[in-house]
Amino acid sequence: MRRLVLAVCLVSLLAGCGTFIGDSPPPSDERAVAAVEEANRSIAPVDAYRFEMDMHVAASADGQSRTVQVDGDGAVNVSAKRMRATSQTQDQTVDSYVDGYRAYQGCQEPWGGYAVENVSRTEPWATATPLHRQVLLFERSNVYWRGNETLDGNRTVLVTASPSADTLESIMDRRRTGDVGLDGASLENATARLWLDPETNRPVQSELRIRISQRGATATATITVQYTGYDEPTRVSIPPDVYDDPYQLGCPGAG
């Protein structure tokens, strides 16, 4: 079950999976397509932002169940090509960094240290960050206009999406998948929501819900990300020890 929990965490972070089970979604709404296009244009010049993440994963197999709650936050400076992200579970806090085209993933105890991987140069650097990756998900999915919705007391515009496994696969973060086998996993359902500021067209919050199965086990995950601090002064500092002899083949014990 541990491997399925890891798998569903990866998929919920746009890591991709195997086959999709379900009916084909209806065609996109033109108004929703236009809203996503405006959102993409609105974030193109963004130089910096911050994000907060909340993820809940529940898995069950052979009469047993397990839940994982992950909280996180981070900061992105596009012009400096730097990102910091911190995730925390009940007993672990993990930091990760991107410096240029090198990504450093913190390894859990008892190993510690960092694993290093290359960031793809085939797409703009910003597409490796949460905000741009979520908008890209909507660009490549069937999308639907849901109109005005109040979020935390503020008026927003809501667009939903029905991403397929192929869509998730097309924008997956390959650095995250190398140590967790996803063969045989099936994506049974995936839905996404994107709340936009009606004045700036910038994303305020995104949500992805997925359900996958693997070898008789099932897992569901909901990941919510809030985006704030657009173009506010953002300095991403990276501790010197991140660069000290990092693991080249992923974190120990991740397989």
Side-chain angles (χ1 to χ4, degrees), residues 49-119:
Y49 68 92
R50 298 179 181 276
F51 60 90
E52 293 185 2
M53 181 270 290
D54 174 86
M55 180 166 64
H56 180 80
V57 182
S60 61
D62 300 326
Q64 298 182 336
S65 62
R66 180 183 179 187
T67 60
V68 177
Q69 179 68 36
V70 183
D71 299 307
D73 62 76
V76 176
N77 188 311
V78 177
S79 59
K81 291 184 173 60
R82 281 193 165 195
M83 180 174 74
R84 172 196 61 79
T86 299
S87 61
Q88 183 173 1
T89 59
Q90 183 176 2
D91 56 356
Q92 291 276 0
T93 298
V94 176
D95 295 318
S96 60
Y97 303 90
V98 177
D99 187 3
Y101 292 93
R102 302 276 278 177
Y104 300 86
Q105 175 67 45
C107 300
Q108 296 187 2
E109 299 298 336
W111 295 278
Y114 292 82
V116 61
E117 294 286 349
N118 292 325
V119 174

Side-chain angles (χ1 to χ4, degrees), residues 136-243:
L136 188 61
L137 170 69
F138 276 75
E139 282 190 312
R140 297 183 180 180
S141 302
N142 286 12
V143 292
Y144 313 98
W145 176 265
R146 300 305 184 201
N148 296 329
E149 181 166 303
T150 300
L151 182 68
D152 296 330
N154 298 312
R155 186 169 70 88
T156 65
V157 170
L158 175 61
V159 177
T160 62
S162 298
S164 66
D166 288 342
T167 297
L168 292 171
E169 180 78 13
S170 72
I171 57 176
M172 72 180 183
D173 188 345
R174 296 181 186 276
R175 291 179 292 105
R176 299 177 184 269
T177 62
D179 296 318
V180 180
L182 298 176
D183 292 342
S186 294
L187 177 62
E188 297 183 348
N189 189 34
T191 59
R193 297 196 287 178
L194 184 66
W195 290 264
L196 304 172
D197 185 309
E199 296 183 359
T200 65
N201 299 312
R202 290 173 174 174
V204 175
Q205 180 173 293
S206 64
E207 179 186 88
L208 179 65
R209 296 182 179 181
I210 64 167
R211 176 182 174 88
I212 70 173
S213 61
Q214 187 177 42
R215 301 184 183 92
T218 60
T220 60
T222 300
I223 178 170
T224 305
V225 186
Q226 296 177 327
Y227 309 96
T228 59
Y230 282 109
D231 285 333
E232 293 180 358
T234 303
R235 181 180 179 183
V236 178
S237 299
I238 301 178
D241 62 338
V242 169
Y243 306 102

Side-chain angles (χ1 to χ4, degrees), residues 3-62:
R3 293 180 65 84
L4 186 61
V5 171
L6 290 173
V8 79
C9 287
L10 293 175
V11 176
S12 65
L13 291 171
L14 305 187
C17 66
T19 59
F20 177 75
I21 299 177
D23 297 329
S24 298
S28 295
D29 298 335
E30 291 185 7
R31 196 171 182 182
V33 172
V36 173
E37 291 176 348
E38 287 294 329
N40 188 42
R41 282 192 286 268
S42 75
I43 67 172
V46 167
D47 185 65
Y49 68 92
R50 298 179 181 276
F51 60 90
E52 293 185 2
M53 181 270 290
D54 174 86
M55 180 166 64
H56 180 80
V57 182
S60 61
D62 300 326

